[in-house]
Coordinates of all heavy atoms in Angstrom, one line a residue:
M163 N 6.7 -32.8 59.8 CA 8.0 -32.7 59.1 C 7.9 -31.6 58.0 O 7.0 -31.5 57.2 CB 8.2 -34.1 58.4 CG 9.5 -34.1 57.5 SD 11.0 -34.3 58.5 CE 10.9 -35.9 59.2
K164 N 8.9 -30.7 58.1 CA 9.0 -29.6 57.1 C 9.8 -30.2 56.0 O 11.0 -30.6 56.1 CB 9.8 -28.4 57.7 CG 9.0 -27.7 58.8 CD 9.9 -26.5 59.3 CE 9.2 -25.8 60.4 NZ 9.1 -26.6 61.6
N165 N 9.2 -30.3 54.8 CA 9.9 -30.9 53.7 C 10.7 -29.8 53.0 O 10.2 -28.7 52.7 CB 8.9 -31.5 52.7 CG 8.4 -32.8 53.2 OD1 9.1 -33.6 53.8 ND2 7.1 -33.1 52.9
G166 N 11.9 -30.2 52.6 CA 12.7 -29.3 51.7 C 13.1 -28.0 52.2 O 12.8 -27.0 51.5
V167 N 13.7 -27.9 53.4 CA 14.2 -26.6 53.8 C 15.6 -26.4 53.3 O 16.5 -27.3 53.5 CB 14.2 -26.5 55.4 CG1 14.8 -25.2 55.8 CG2 12.8 -26.7 55.9
A168 N 15.9 -25.3 52.5 CA 17.2 -25.1 52.0 C 18.2 -24.8 53.1 O 17.9 -23.8 53.8 CB 17.1 -24.0 50.9
V169 N 19.2 -25.6 53.2 CA 20.2 -25.3 54.3 C 21.6 -24.9 53.7 O 22.4 -24.4 54.5 CB 20.4 -26.6 55.2 CG1 19.0 -26.9 55.9 CG2 20.9 -27.8 54.4
A170 N 21.8 -25.2 52.5 CA 23.1 -24.8 51.9 C 23.1 -25.0 50.4 O 22.1 -25.6 49.9 CB 24.2 -25.7 52.5
K171 N 24.1 -24.6 49.7 CA 24.3 -24.8 48.3 C 25.2 -26.0 48.1 O 26.1 -26.3 48.9 CB 24.9 -23.6 47.6 CG 24.1 -22.3 47.7 CD 22.8 -22.4 46.9 CE 22.0 -21.1 47.0 NZ 20.7 -21.2 46.4
V172 N 25.0 -26.7 47.0 CA 25.9 -27.9 46.7 C 27.3 -27.5 46.7 O 28.2 -28.2 47.2 CB 25.4 -28.5 45.3 CG1 26.5 -29.5 44.8 CG2 24.1 -29.1 45.4
S173 N 27.6 -26.3 46.1 CA 29.0 -25.8 46.0 C 29.6 -25.5 47.4 O 30.8 -25.3 47.5 CB 29.1 -24.6 45.1 OG 28.2 -23.6 45.6
D174 N 28.8 -25.4 48.4 CA 29.3 -25.1 49.8 C 30.0 -26.3 50.4 O 30.8 -26.1 51.4 CB 28.1 -24.7 50.7 CG 27.5 -23.4 50.4 OD1 28.1 -22.5 49.7 OD2 26.3 -23.2 50.8
I175 N 29.7 -27.5 49.9 CA 30.3 -28.7 50.6 C 30.9 -29.6 49.5 O 30.2 -30.4 48.9 CB 29.1 -29.5 51.3 CG1 28.2 -28.5 52.1 CG2 29.8 -30.5 52.3 CD1 27.0 -29.2 52.7
P176 N 32.2 -29.5 49.3 CA 32.9 -30.4 48.4 C 32.8 -31.9 48.9 O 32.6 -32.1 50.1 CB 34.3 -29.9 48.4 CG 34.3 -28.6 49.0 CD 33.1 -28.6 50.0
P177 N 33.0 -32.8 48.0 CA 32.9 -34.2 48.4 C 33.9 -34.5 49.5 O 35.1 -34.0 49.5 CB 33.3 -35.0 47.1 CG 32.9 -34.0 46.0 CD 33.1 -32.7 46.5
G178 N 33.5 -35.3 50.5 CA 34.3 -35.6 51.6 C 34.3 -34.6 52.7 O 35.1 -34.7 53.7
K179 N 33.5 -33.5 52.6 CA 33.5 -32.4 53.5 C 32.1 -32.3 54.2 O 31.2 -33.0 53.8 CB 33.9 -31.1 52.9 CG 35.2 -31.1 52.2 CD 36.3 -31.2 53.2 CE 37.7 -31.1 52.5 NZ 38.8 -31.3 53.5
S180 N 32.1 -31.5 55.2 CA 30.8 -31.3 55.9 C 30.8 -29.9 56.5 O 31.8 -29.3 56.7 CB 30.7 -32.3 57.1 OG 31.8 -32.3 57.9
I181 N 29.6 -29.5 56.8 CA 29.4 -28.2 57.4 C 28.3 -28.3 58.5 O 27.6 -29.2 58.5 CB 29.0 -27.1 56.4 CG1 27.6 -27.3 55.8 CG2 30.1 -26.9 55.4 CD1 27.1 -26.2 55.0
G182 N 28.3 -27.3 59.4 CA 27.2 -27.2 60.4 C 26.4 -26.0 60.0 O 26.9 -25.0 59.6
V183 N 25.1 -26.2 60.1 CA 24.1 -25.1 59.9 C 23.1 -25.1 61.0 O 22.8 -26.1 61.6 CB 23.5 -25.2 58.5 CG1 24.5 -25.2 57.4 CG2 22.6 -26.5 58.4
T184 N 22.5 -23.9 61.1 CA 21.4 -23.8 62.0 C 20.1 -23.4 61.2 O 20.2 -22.5 60.4 CB 21.6 -22.7 63.1 OG1 22.8 -23.0 63.8 CG2 20.4 -22.6 64.1
C185 N 19.1 -24.2 61.3 CA 17.9 -24.0 60.5 C 16.7 -24.3 61.3 O 16.6 -25.5 61.9 CB 18.0 -24.8 59.2 SG 16.7 -24.4 58.1
H186 N 15.8 -23.4 61.5 CA 14.5 -23.6 62.2 C 14.9 -24.2 63.6 O 14.3 -25.1 64.1 CB 13.6 -24.6 61.5 CG 13.0 -24.0 60.3 ND1 11.8 -23.4 60.2 CD2 13.5 -23.9 59.0 CE1 11.6 -22.9 59.0 NE2 12.6 -23.2 58.2
E187 N 15.9 -23.6 64.3 CA 16.3 -23.9 65.6 C 17.0 -25.3 65.8 O 17.2 -25.7 66.9 CB 15.2 -23.7 66.6 CG 14.6 -22.3 66.6 CD 13.5 -22.1 67.6 OE1 13.3 -23.0 68.4 OE2 12.8 -21.0 67.5
E188 N 17.2 -25.9 64.6 CA 17.9 -27.2 64.7 C 19.4 -27.0 64.3 O 19.7 -26.3 63.3 CB 17.3 -28.2 63.6 CG 15.9 -28.6 63.9 CD 15.9 -29.7 65.0 OE1 16.9 -30.3 65.3 OE2 14.7 -30.0 65.4
E189 N 20.3 -27.6 65.1 CA 21.7 -27.6 64.7 C 21.9 -28.9 63.9 O 21.7 -30.0 64.4 CB 22.6 -27.7 66.0 CG 22.4 -26.5 66.9 CD 23.0 -25.2 66.3 OE1 24.0 -25.3 65.6 OE2 22.5 -24.1 66.7
I190 N 22.4 -28.7 62.7 CA 22.4 -29.8 61.7 C 23.8 -29.9 61.1 O 24.4 -28.8 60.8 CB 21.4 -29.5 60.5 CG1 20.0 -29.4 61.1 CG2 21.5 -30.6 59.5 CD1 19.0 -28.8 60.1
A191 N 24.3 -31.1 61.0 CA 25.6 -31.3 60.2 C 25.2 -31.9 58.9 O 24.3 -32.8 58.8 CB 26.4 -32.3 61.0
V192 N 25.8 -31.3 57.8 CA 25.4 -31.7 56.5 C 26.7 -32.2 55.8 O 27.8 -31.6 55.9 CB 24.8 -30.6 55.6 CG1 24.4 -31.1 54.3 CG2 23.7 -29.9 56.4
F193 N 26.7 -33.4 55.2 CA 27.9 -34.1 54.7 C 27.7 -34.3 53.2 O 26.6 -34.6 52.7 CB 28.0 -35.4 55.4 CG 28.3 -35.4 56.8 CD1 27.2 -35.2 57.7 CD2 29.5 -35.4 57.4 CE1 27.4 -35.2 59.1 CE2 29.8 -35.3 58.7 CZ 28.7 -35.2 59.6
N194 N 28.8 -34.2 52.5 CA 28.8 -34.6 51.1 C 29.7 -35.9 51.0 O 30.9 -35.8 51.2 CB 29.4 -33.5 50.2 CG 29.5 -33.9 48.7 OD1 29.4 -35.1 48.4 ND2 29.7 -33.0 47.9
L195 N 29.1 -37.0 50.9 CA 29.9 -38.3 50.8 C 29.8 -38.8 49.4 O 28.8 -39.4 48.9 CB 29.2 -39.3 51.8 CG 29.1 -38.8 53.3 CD1 28.5 -39.9 54.1 CD2 30.4 -38.3 53.8
D196 N 30.9 -38.5 48.7 CA 31.0 -38.9 47.3 C 29.8 -38.4 46.4 O 29.3 -39.2 45.6 CB 31.2 -40.4 47.1 CG 32.6 -40.8 47.7 OD1 33.5 -40.0 47.5 OD2 32.7 -42.0 48.1
G197 N 29.4 -37.2 46.7 CA 28.3 -36.6 45.9 C 26.9 -36.9 46.4 O 26.0 -36.4 45.8
I198 N 26.8 -37.7 47.4 CA 25.5 -37.9 48.0 C 25.5 -37.1 49.4 O 26.4 -37.3 50.2 CB 25.2 -39.4 48.3 CG1 25.2 -40.1 46.9 CG2 23.9 -39.6 49.0 CD1 25.1 -41.6 47.0
F199 N 24.4 -36.4 49.6 CA 24.3 -35.5 50.8 C 23.5 -36.2 51.9 O 22.5 -36.9 51.6 CB 23.7 -34.2 50.4 CG 24.6 -33.3 49.5 CD1 24.5 -33.4 48.2 CD2 25.6 -32.5 50.1 CE1 25.4 -32.7 47.3 CE2 26.4 -31.8 49.3 CZ 26.3 -31.9 47.9
Y200 N 24.0 -36.0 53.1 CA 23.4 -36.6 54.3 C 23.3 -35.5 55.3 O 24.1 -34.5 55.3 CB 24.2 -37.7 54.9 CG 24.3 -38.9 54.0 CD1 25.3 -39.0 53.0 CD2 23.4 -40.0 54.0 CE1 25.4 -40.1 52.2 CE2 23.4 -41.1 53.2 CZ 24.5 -41.2 52.3 OH 24.6 -42.2 51.5
A201 N 22.3 -35.6 56.2 CA 22.2 -34.6 57.3 C 21.8 -35.3 58.6 O 21.0 -36.3 58.5 CB 21.2 -33.5 56.9
C202 N 22.3 -34.8 59.7 CA 22.0 -35.3 61.0 C 22.1 -34.3 62.0 O 22.6 -33.2 61.7 CB 22.9 -36.5 61.3 SG 24.6 -36.1 61.6
T203 N 21.7 -34.6 63.2 CA 21.9 -33.7 64.3 C 23.4 -33.4 64.5 O 24.2 -34.3 64.3 CB 21.3 -34.3 65.6 OG1 21.8 -35.6 65.8 CG2 19.8 -34.2 65.6
N204 N 23.7 -32.2 64.8 CA 25.1 -31.8 64.9 C 25.6 -31.8 66.4 O 26.3 -30.9 66.8 CB 25.3 -30.4 64.3 CG 26.8 -30.1 64.1 OD1 27.6 -31.0 64.1 ND2 27.1 -28.8 63.8
R205 N 25.2 -32.9 67.1 CA 25.6 -33.0 68.5 C 25.7 -34.5 68.8 O 24.7 -35.3 68.7 CB 24.5 -32.4 69.3 CG 24.8 -32.5 70.8 CD 23.7 -31.7 71.6 NE 23.8 -32.0 73.0 CZ 24.6 -31.4 73.9 NH1 25.5 -30.5 73.4 NH2 24.7 -31.7 75.1
C206 N 26.9 -34.9 69.2 CA 27.1 -36.3 69.5 C 26.3 -36.6 70.8 O 26.4 -35.9 71.8 CB 28.6 -36.5 69.7 SG 29.0 -38.2 70.1
P207 N 25.6 -37.8 70.8 CA 24.9 -38.1 72.0 C 25.7 -38.5 73.2 O 25.2 -38.6 74.3 CB 24.0 -39.3 71.5 CG 24.8 -39.9 70.4 CD 25.5 -38.7 69.7
H208 N 27.0 -38.7 73.0 CA 27.9 -39.1 74.1 C 28.2 -37.9 75.0 O 27.8 -37.9 76.2 CB 29.2 -39.7 73.6 CG 30.2 -40.0 74.7 ND1 31.5 -39.8 74.6 CD2 30.0 -40.6 75.9 CE1 32.1 -40.2 75.7 NE2 31.2 -40.7 76.5
A209 N 28.8 -36.9 74.4 CA 29.2 -35.7 75.3 C 29.0 -34.4 74.5 O 29.6 -33.4 74.9 CB 30.6 -35.9 75.8
G210 N 28.3 -34.4 73.4 CA 28.0 -33.2 72.7 C 28.9 -32.6 71.7 O 28.8 -31.5 71.3
A211 N 29.9 -33.4 71.2 CA 30.8 -32.9 70.2 C 30.0 -32.5 68.9 O 29.0 -33.1 68.6 CB 31.8 -33.9 69.9
P212 N 30.5 -31.5 68.2 CA 29.9 -31.2 66.9 C 30.2 -32.2 65.9 O 31.4 -32.3 65.5 CB 30.5 -29.8 66.6 CG 31.8 -29.8 67.4 CD 31.6 -30.6 68.6
L213 N 29.2 -32.9 65.4 CA 29.5 -34.0 64.4 C 29.9 -33.5 63.1 O 30.5 -34.2 62.3 CB 28.2 -34.9 64.3 CG 27.9 -35.7 65.6 CD1 26.6 -36.4 65.4 CD2 29.0 -36.6 65.9
E214 N 29.8 -32.2 62.8 CA 30.3 -31.6 61.6 C 31.8 -31.8 61.4 O 32.3 -31.7 60.3 CB 29.9 -30.1 61.4 CG 30.7 -29.3 62.4 CD 30.3 -27.8 62.4 OE1 30.8 -27.1 61.6 OE2 29.4 -27.4 63.2
N215 N 32.5 -32.0 62.6 CA 33.9 -32.2 62.5 C 34.4 -33.6 62.6 O 35.5 -33.9 62.9 CB 34.6 -31.4 63.7 CG 34.3 -29.9 63.6 OD1 34.2 -29.4 62.6 ND2 34.1 -29.3 64.8
S216 N 33.5 -34.5 62.3 CA 33.7 -36.0 62.3 C 34.7 -36.4 61.2 O 34.8 -35.8 60.2 CB 32.4 -36.7 62.1 OG 31.5 -36.5 63.2
M217 N 35.4 -37.5 61.5 CA 36.2 -38.2 60.5 C 35.2 -38.9 59.6 O 34.1 -39.4 60.2 CB 37.2 -39.2 61.1 CG 38.2 -38.5 62.0 SD 39.6 -37.9 61.1 CE 40.3 -39.4 60.5
I218 N 35.4 -39.1 58.4 CA 34.5 -39.7 57.4 C 35.2 -40.9 56.8 O 36.3 -40.8 56.3 CB 34.0 -38.8 56.3 CG1 33.3 -37.6 57.0 CG2 33.2 -39.5 55.3 CD1 33.0 -36.4 56.0
A219 N 34.5 -42.1 56.8 CA 35.0 -43.3 56.1 C 33.7 -43.9 55.5 O 32.9 -44.5 56.1 CB 35.6 -44.2 57.1
G220 N 33.6 -43.7 54.2 CA 32.4 -44.2 53.5 C 31.2 -43.4 54.0 O 31.2 -42.2 53.9
T221 N 30.2 -44.1 54.5 CA 29.0 -43.4 55.0 C 29.1 -43.4 56.5 O 28.1 -43.0 57.1 CB 27.7 -44.1 54.5 OG1 27.7 -45.5 55.0 CG2 27.6 -44.1 53.0
V222 N 30.2 -43.8 57.1 CA 30.3 -43.8 58.6 C 31.1 -42.6 59.0 O 32.2 -42.4 58.5 CB 31.0 -45.1 59.1 CG1 31.2 -45.1 60.6 CG2 30.1 -46.3 58.7
I223 N 30.6 -41.9 60.0 CA 31.3 -40.8 60.6 C 31.8 -41.2 62.0 O 31.1 -42.0 62.7 CB 30.5 -39.5 60.7 CG1 29.2 -39.7 61.5 CG2 30.1 -39.0 59.2 CD1 28.4 -38.4 61.8
S224 N 32.9 -40.7 62.4 CA 33.5 -40.9 63.7 C 33.6 -39.6 64.5 O 34.2 -38.7 64.0 CB 34.9 -41.6 63.6 OG 34.8 -42.8 62.9
C225 N 33.0 -39.6 65.6 CA 32.9 -38.4 66.4 C 34.4 -37.9 66.7 O 35.3 -38.6 67.0 CB 32.2 -38.6 67.7 SG 32.2 -37.2 68.8
P226 N 34.6 -36.5 66.6 CA 35.9 -36.0 66.7 C 36.5 -36.1 68.1 O 37.7 -35.9 68.3 CB 35.7 -34.5 66.3 CG 34.3 -34.2 66.5 CD 33.6 -35.5 66.2
W227 N 35.6 -36.3 69.1 CA 36.1 -36.3 70.5 C 36.5 -37.7 71.0 O 37.6 -37.8 71.5 CB 35.1 -35.7 71.5 CG 34.9 -34.2 71.3 CD1 35.6 -33.4 70.4 CD2 34.1 -33.3 72.1 NE1 35.2 -32.1 70.6 CE2 34.3 -32.0 71.6 CE3 33.1 -33.5 73.1 CZ2 33.5 -30.9 72.1 CZ3 32.4 -32.4 73.6 CH2 32.7 -31.1 73.1
H228 N 35.7 -38.6 70.9 CA 36.0 -40.0 71.4 C 35.7 -41.1 70.4 O 35.8 -42.3 70.8 CB 35.1 -40.2 72.7 CG 35.2 -39.1 73.7 ND1 34.1 -38.2 73.8 CD2 36.1 -38.7 74.5 CE1 34.4 -37.3 74.8 NE2 35.7 -37.6 75.2
G229 N 35.4 -40.8 69.2 CA 35.3 -41.8 68.2 C 34.1 -42.6 68.0 O 34.1 -43.6 67.3
W230 N 33.0 -42.3 68.7 CA 31.8 -43.0 68.5 C 31.5 -42.9 67.0 O 31.7 -41.9 66.4 CB 30.6 -42.5 69.3 CG 30.6 -42.9 70.8 CD1 31.7 -43.3 71.5 CD2 29.5 -42.8 71.6 NE1 31.3 -43.5 72.8 CE2 30.0 -43.2 72.9 CE3 28.2 -42.5 71.5 CZ2 29.2 -43.3 74.0 CZ3 27.4 -42.5 72.6 CH2 27.8 -43.0 73.9
R231 N 30.9 -44.0 66.5 CA 30.7 -44.1 65.0 C 29.2 -44.2 64.7 O 28.5 -44.8 65.4 CB 31.4 -45.3 64.4 CG 32.9 -45.1 64.5 CD 33.7 -46.4 64.4 NE 33.1 -47.4 63.6 CZ 33.6 -47.9 62.4 NH1 34.8 -47.5 62.0 NH2 33.0 -48.9 61.8
F232 N 28.8 -43.5 63.6 CA 27.4 -43.5 63.2 C 27.4 -43.6 61.7 O 28.1 -43.0 61.0 CB 26.8 -42.1 63.6 CG 27.0 -41.8 65.0 CD1 28.0 -40.9 65.5 CD2 26.1 -42.3 66.0 CE1 28.2 -40.6 66.8 CE2 26.3 -42.0 67.4 CZ 27.3 -41.2 67.8
D233 N 26.5 -44.5 61.3 CA 26.3 -44.7 59.8 C 25.2 -43.9 59.3 O 24.0 -44.1 59.6 CB 26.0 -46.2 59.5 CG 26.0 -46.5 58.1 OD1 26.1 -45.6 57.2 OD2 25.9 -47.7 57.7
L234 N 25.6 -42.9 58.5 CA 24.6 -41.9 58.0 C 23.7 -42.6 57.0 O 22.5 -42.1 56.8 CB 25.3 -40.7 57.4 CG 26.1 -39.9 58.3 CD1 26.8 -38.7 57.6 CD2 25.3 -39.3 59.5
A235 N 24.1 -43.6 56.3 CA 23.3 -44.3 55.3 C 22.2 -45.1 56.0 O 21.3 -45.6 55.3 CB 24.1 -45.2 54.4
A236 N 22.2 -45.2 57.3 CA 21.1 -46.0 58.0 C 19.8 -45.3 57.8 O 18.7 -45.9 57.9 CB 21.4 -46.1 59.5
G237 N 19.8 -44.0 57.4 CA 18.5 -43.3 57.1 C 17.7 -42.9 58.3 O 18.1 -43.1 59.4
P238 N 16.6 -42.2 58.0 CA 15.8 -41.6 59.0 C 15.2 -42.7 60.0 O 14.9 -42.3 61.1 CB 14.7 -40.9 58.3 CG 15.2 -40.6 56.9 CD 16.2 -41.7 56.6
E239 N 15.1 -43.9 59.5 CA 14.6 -45.0 60.4 C 15.8 -45.6 61.1 O 15.7 -46.8 61.5 CB 13.8 -46.0 59.6 CG 12.7 -45.4 58.7 CD 11.7 -44.6 59.5 OE1 11.4 -45.0 60.7 OE2 11.3 -43.5 59.0
A240 N 16.8 -44.9 61.4 CA 18.1 -45.4 61.8 C 18.0 -46.1 63.2 O 17.0 -46.0 63.9 CB 19.0 -44.3 61.9
P241 N 19.1 -46.8 63.5 CA 19.2 -47.4 64.8 C 19.0 -46.3 65.9 O 19.3 -45.2 65.7 CB 20.6 -48.0 64.8 CG 21.3 -47.4 63.6 CD 20.2 -46.9 62.7
K242 N 18.6 -46.8 67.1 CA 18.4 -45.8 68.2 C 19.7 -45.5 68.8 O 20.0 -45.9 69.9 CB 17.4 -46.4 69.2 CG 16.1 -46.9 68.6 CD 15.3 -45.8 68.0 CE 13.9 -46.3 67.6 NZ 13.6 -46.0 66.2
D243 N 20.5 -44.7 68.1 CA 21.9 -44.4 68.6 C 22.0 -42.9 69.0 O 23.1 -42.4 69.3 CB 22.9 -44.7 67.5 CG 22.7 -44.0 66.2 OD1 21.9 -43.0 66.2 OD2 23.4 -44.3 65.3
G244 N 20.8 -42.2 69.1 CA 20.9 -40.8 69.5 C 21.2 -39.8 68.5 O 21.1 -38.6 68.8
V245 N 21.4 -40.2 67.3 CA 21.7 -39.3 66.2 C 20.5 -39.3 65.2 O 20.2 -40.4 64.6 CB 23.0 -39.6 65.4 CG1 23.1 -38.7 64.2 CG2 24.2 -39.4 66.4
I246 N 19.8 -38.2 65.1 CA 18.7 -38.2 64.1 C 19.2 -37.9 62.7 O 19.9 -36.9 62.5 CB 17.7 -37.1 64.6 CG1 17.1 -37.4 66.0 CG2 16.5 -37.0 63.6 CD1 16.3 -36.3 66.6
R247 N 18.8 -38.8 61.8 CA 19.2 -38.5 60.4 C 18.0 -37.8 59.8 O 16.8 -38.2 60.0 CB 19.4 -39.8 59.6 CG 20.8 -40.5 59.9 CD 20.8 -41.2 61.2 NE 21.9 -42.2 61.3 CZ 22.3 -42.8 62.4 NH1 21.7 -42.5 63.5 NH2 23.3 -43.6 62.3
F248 N 18.2 -36.8 58.9 CA 17.2 -36.1 58.3 C 17.2 -36.5 56.8 O 18.3 -36.6 56.2 CB 17.4 -34.6 58.4 CG 17.4 -34.1 59.8 CD1 18.6 -33.7 60.4 CD2 16.2 -34.1 60.6 CE1 18.6 -33.3 61.7 CE2 16.2 -33.7 61.9 CZ 17.4 -33.2 62.5
P249 N 16.1 -36.6 56.1 CA 16.1 -36.8 54.7 C 16.6 -35.6 53.9 O 16.3 -34.5 54.3 CB 14.6 -37.1 54.4 CG 13.8 -36.4 55.5 CD 14.7 -36.5 56.7
V250 N 17.4 -35.9 52.9 CA 18.0 -34.8 52.1 C 17.7 -35.0 50.6 O 17.7 -36.1 50.1 CB 19.6 -34.8 52.3 CG1 20.2 -33.8 51.4 CG2 19.9 -34.7 53.7
T251 N 17.3 -33.9 50.0 CA 17.2 -33.9 48.5 C 18.0 -32.8 48.0 O 18.3 -31.8 48.7 CB 15.7 -33.8 48.1 OG1 15.2 -32.6 48.7 CG2 14.9 -35.0 48.5
V252 N 18.3 -32.8 46.7 CA 19.0 -31.7 46.0 C 18.1 -31.2 44.9 O 17.5 -32.0 44.1 CB 20.3 -32.2 45.5 CG1 21.0 -31.1 44.6 CG2 21.2 -32.6 46.6
S253 N 17.9 -29.9 44.8 CA 17.1 -29.3 43.7 C 18.0 -28.2 43.1 O 18.2 -27.2 43.8 CB 15.8 -28.7 44.3 OG 15.1 -28.0 43.2
G254 N 18.5 -28.5 42.0 CA 19.5 -27.5 41.4 C 20.7 -27.4 42.2 O 21.4 -28.3 42.5
E255 N 20.9 -26.2 42.7 CA 22.1 -25.9 43.6 C 21.7 -26.0 45.1 O 22.6 -26.0 46.0 CB 22.6 -24.5 43.4 CG 23.8 -24.4 42.4 CD 25.1 -25.1 43.0 OE1 25.6 -24.7 44.1 OE2 25.5 -26.1 42.4
D256 N 20.5 -26.2 45.4 CA 20.0 -26.2 46.8 C 20.0 -27.6 47.4 O 19.5 -28.5 46.8 CB 18.6 -25.6 46.9 CG 18.6 -24.1 46.6 OD1 19.5 -23.4 46.9 OD2 17.6 -23.7 46.0
I257 N 20.6 -27.6 48.6 CA 20.5 -28.9 49.5 C 19.3 -28.6 50.4 O 19.3 -27.7 51.2 CB 21.8 -29.1 50.3 CG1 23.0 -29.2 49.3 CG2 21.6 -30.3 51.2 CD1 24.3 -29.2 50.1
L258 N 18.3 -29.5 50.3 CA 17.1 -29.4 51.0 C 17.0 -30.5 52.1 O 17.2 -31.7 51.8 CB 15.9 -29.5 50.1 CG 15.9 -28.6 48.9 CD1 14.8 -28.9 47.9 CD2 15.8 -27.1 49.3
V259 N 16.7 -30.1 53.3 CA 16.6 -31.1 54.4 C 15.2 -31.1 55.0 O 14.6 -30.0 55.2 CB 17.6 -30.7 55.5 CG1 17.4 -31.6 56.7 CG2 19.0 -30.8 55.0
G260 N 14.7 -32.3 55.2 CA 13.4 -32.4 55.8 C 13.5 -32.4 57.3 O 14.2 -33.2 57.9
L261 N 12.9 -31.4 58.0 CA 13.1 -31.1 59.4 C 11.8 -31.4 60.1 O 10.7 -31.3 59.6 CB 13.5 -29.7 59.6 CG 14.8 -29.2 59.0 CD1 15.0 -27.7 59.3 CD2 15.9 -30.0 59.6
P262 N 11.9 -31.8 61.4 CA 10.7 -32.0 62.2 C 9.9 -30.7 62.3 O 10.5 -29.6 62.3 CB 11.2 -32.5 63.6 CG 12.7 -32.6 63.4 CD 13.1 -32.0 62.1
D263 N 8.6 -30.9 62.5 CA 7.7 -29.7 62.7 C 8.0 -29.1 64.1 O 8.4 -29.7 65.0 CB 6.3 -30.1 62.6 CG 5.9 -30.4 61.2 OD1 6.4 -29.8 60.3 OD2 5.0 -31.3 61.0
Ligands
FES80 S1 31.5 -36.7 72.4 FE1 31.2 -38.0 70.7 S2 32.1 -39.9 71.3 FE2 32.3 -38.6 73.0

């Protein structure tokens, strides 16, 4: 696991918004849910929709194509639903994501 790879600035993602980034060959969706940042794979396991465009309700995102739902707060030990959650920390303005080696 690569700890603390900077993927965006805090100011890049207002509360309730998300972005997609590519970092170390990983496509990642990064969310700001009421000031807490979450990151996961940016590909829905159903048919590949970009999860960065999901609807957000609390910590649950709904895929933009067919509505499959994923709880980002489930954490890296999440249910086996095909979406990998990555650990996120914030250092100053930087959003840091722990990525697989
Ligand atoms: S592509 Fe996400 S629910 Fe179908």
Side-chain angles (χ1 to χ4, degrees):
M163 177 76 67
K164 294 179 183 67
N165 285 323
V167 178
V169 297
K171 300 290 186 189
V172 168
S173 57
D174 293 336
I175 315 173
K179 301 295 185 183
S180 57
I181 64 170
V183 298
T184 302
C185 188
H186 293 264
E187 301 179 12
E188 293 278 351
E189 299 288 331
I190 302 167
V192 186
F193 298 82
N194 178 345
L195 306 183
D196 290 330
I198 300 175
F199 291 90
Y200 296 89
C202 67
T203 48
N204 195 12
R205 179 177 169 82
C206 180
H208 177 221
L213 292 176
E214 69 183 273
N215 297 328
S216 296
M217 299 276 291
I218 299 170
T221 61
V222 176
I223 60 171
S224 298
C225 176
W227 287 2
H228 312 104
W230 283 22
R231 294 162 30 119
F232 307 97
D233 187 352
L234 297 179
E239 307 303 323
K242 306 294 186 237
D243 58 13
V245 173
I246 299 169
R247 284 78 162 169
F248 301 108
V250 179
T251 56
V252 174
S253 177
E255 262 296 301
D256 292 324
I257 301 171
L258 309 172
V259 174
L261 298 175
D263 289 326

